[in-house]
Amino acid sequence: MSAPSAARRRVRAAAAVAVSAALMFSLAACASSTASDGVAELGAGIPAMAFNQAAAAQLPDAIKASKVLTVAIPTNEPPTQFYREGTREMTGTNPDVARLIGQALGVKVDIKVANFDSIIPGMAGGRYNMTVSSMTPTENRMKVLDFVDYLQMGNSIAVGTGNPQGITEEAALCGKKVGLLIGSYQLTANVPAADEKCQAEGKAPIQTSEFQDTRQAISGLTSGRLDAVLADSPILNFAAKANPDIEISSQYDFTPVGVGLPIESGLLTSVSAAMAEVLKSDSYKQVLKKYGLESSAITDPRVNFAQ
């Protein structure tokens, strides 16, 4: 076969460049879509949030320049946050709500997994811009963080199947061995208040054991080292459905949890405006439905409302 002419070589070279450029553009477009708007991470059936120009205009200059929000989220606690099977990609209610906020603000959400008790120190140290971690706004936490409500959840008490200790309410935890998550609202607020009542009634205080995640606490319960576990209702309810050795004996105290933002971050105005749109959206409803938490929906993104 004769060698191609110079003209043909030029045509082929131009075509190759065109194909290569088109492929690069296609890949870049896909990467940009996945990285910036979080649609792929949200999964099928969940529509993207519309970009909110007014909310985005309120972002601090540093976030406008980087177009990235670094978001701290705790470790494996389904259904609120957990790794997709076989991956290190976070999914769950909290990561998905964070991604909806990112879509509304037109920024990428960079999720950083952290132990719950390390999140506030990490935010103080400038490592994170935001946390979506089922964190209850309290007066103590509001000394360093602003909060925007995004969901409501309560407390659940998990016990062994058949409830051998007869624990049907928080008052029955006096003198019992109870597992709690380190830094949790249950540990820092519920237990001290319950202990005061125990003392007033002449009963022994709650014997607390602290864990980094509920799997460890539930292991203590099923092995007989604990009498109960007290934690957020979505997490324990999910665990009880998957584990025939435990059951939920009580649910109570349903209150909103909030997105946490460092007070000096300048993010409160933009995030609260974005959240107002998120809570009205079908995207938010579909995220909650995806994880069986439709009853946890709220409509009012209250700012700095202490529990």
Side-chain angles (χ1 to χ4, degrees):
M1 182 180 293
S2 61
S5 67
R8 281 185 188 169
R9 286 198 299 269
R10 285 195 296 271
V11 169
R12 288 180 182 178
V17 169
V19 170
S20 177
L23 179 60
M24 289 176 66
F25 176 83
S26 174
L27 292 174
C30 291
S32 174
S33 174
T34 299
S36 65
D37 61 26
V39 171
E41 293 95 331
L42 288 172
I46 300 178
M49 281 294 304
F51 175 58
N52 187 319
Q53 178 65 54
Q58 300 297 319
L59 285 167
D61 290 341
I63 303 298
K64 288 179 180 177
S66 68
K67 297 189 180 301
V68 175
L69 276 176
T70 303
V71 182
I73 289 182
T75 189
N76 205 27
E77 295 285 1
T80 52
Q81 60 269 328
F82 57 100
Y83 292 111
R84 280 200 174 95
E85 187 175 356
T87 76
R88 301 297 288 178
E89 182 184 343
M90 290 295 287
T91 189
T93 316
N94 287 334
D96 283 1
V97 168
R99 289 168 180 136
L100 294 181
I101 295 169
Q103 290 174 359
L105 294 174
V107 297
K108 175 184 175 181
V109 169
D110 182 14
I111 292 174
K112 302 294 186 184
V113 178
N115 290 329
F116 186 81
D117 60 320
S118 72
I119 289 176
I120 292 179
M123 296 179 82
R127 292 196 294 277
Y128 316 121
N129 304 123
M130 184 171 84
T131 183
V132 186
S133 53
S134 309
M135 190 175 286
T136 302
T138 64
E139 291 183 359
N140 192 47
R141 288 171 176 165
M142 284 167 51
K143 293 176 183 177
V144 292
L145 298 182
D146 286 316
F147 285 94
V148 182
D149 291 350
Y150 71 96
L151 197 69
Q152 69 174 353
M153 59 181 62
N155 297 328
S156 282
I157 299 175
V159 297
T161 300
N163 196 7
Q165 299 283 342
I167 299 170
T168 58
E169 59 182 350
E170 189 178 74
L173 296 176
C174 298
K176 299 296 193 294
K177 294 176 287 186
V178 180
L180 302 111
L181 300 189
I182 296 172
S184 66
Y185 183 75
Q186 290 83 11
L187 178 65
T188 59
N190 291 121
V191 166
D195 273 343
E196 287 185 9
K197 294 179 181 177
C198 294
Q199 183 178 4
E201 296 174 3
K203 299 176 181 178
I206 298 170
Q207 302 176 51
T208 61
S209 295
E210 299 177 29
F211 300 89
Q212 284 289 359
D213 64 54
T214 50
R215 290 172 302 169
Q216 297 169 342
I218 290 169
S219 176
L221 176 61
T222 56
S223 67
R225 291 179 286 119
L226 297 174
D227 300 315
V229 175
L230 175 61
D232 290 342
S233 54
I235 295 171
L236 285 184
N237 295 353
F238 185 92
K241 290 177 182 177
N243 190 333
D245 295 326
I246 66 173
E247 63 183 57
I248 302 302
S249 67
S250 179
Q251 293 186 80
Y252 60 99
D253 198 20
F254 280 79
T255 55
V257 294
V259 172
L261 309 158
I263 286 176
E264 302 300 328
S265 68
L267 281 165
L268 181 60
T269 301
S270 55
V271 170
S272 60
M275 186 59 68
E277 295 303 311
V278 168
L279 297 187
K280 293 186 293 185
S281 71
D282 187 52
S283 304
Y284 174 72
K285 295 180 180 68
Q286 291 301 317
V287 162
L288 299 190
K289 182 178 180 181
K290 178 180 176 181
Y291 303 105
L293 297 179
E294 297 98 318
S295 62
S296 293
I298 64 171
T299 57
D300 183 9
R302 299 178 305 180
V303 172
N304 290 332
F305 196 93
Q307 303 297 332

